[in-house]
């Protein structure tokens, strides 16, 4: 398995975010800094924010195509997807 790191270069004082894992990565700017959404090396959905990395370890497994949204009020990330049973789920770490 090939693992690559996504690196973003910024001119601000915050360190550049790094994202270890595989597959497509979605990025969004939030009031708290950049947000990256993708898969961990183990295939779980993971979210990288300025606070750290959160990995979705419970609930329906996402086979592909998760969507990243930022909360309108607080800018916190929200991940949404349909599970294998076609039921929608929402993850807000």
């Amino acid at each position: 398995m090939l693992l690559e790191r996504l690196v973003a270069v910024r001119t601000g004082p915050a360190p550049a975010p790094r994202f270890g894992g595989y597959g497509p990565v979605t990025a969004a700017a939030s009031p708290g800094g950049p947000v990256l959404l993708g898969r961990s090396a183990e295939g779980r959905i993971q979210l990288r924010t300025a606070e750290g990395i959160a990995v979705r370890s419970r609930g329906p497994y996402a086979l592909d195509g998760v969507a990243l949204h930022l909360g309108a009020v607080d800018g916190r990330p929200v991940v949404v997807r349909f599970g294998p049973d076609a039921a929608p789920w929402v993850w807000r770490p």
Side-chain angles (χ1 to χ4, degrees):
M1 176 186 320
L2 176 63
L3 298 178
E4 296 184 28
R5 293 198 177 265
L6 173 68
V7 179
V9 178
R10 298 178 50 166
T11 58
R18 300 193 183 276
F19 195 88
Y22 71 93
V25 174
T26 301
S30 77
V35 177
L36 302 175
L37 171 68
R39 293 202 181 269
S40 69
E42 296 78 27
R44 300 264 182 202
I45 301 300
Q46 72 174 344
L47 192 68
R48 167 76 161 82
T49 65
E51 288 84 37
I53 297 175
V55 178
R56 186 171 190 268
S57 59
R58 296 185 312 174
Y61 191 74
L63 301 176
D64 62 1
V66 294
L68 172 63
H69 297 277
L70 298 178
V73 176
D74 58 7
R76 286 183 48 212
V78 178
V79 179
V80 296
R81 170 73 170 111
F82 284 100
D85 59 355
W89 55 258
V90 176
W91 179 49
R92 187 172 191 162

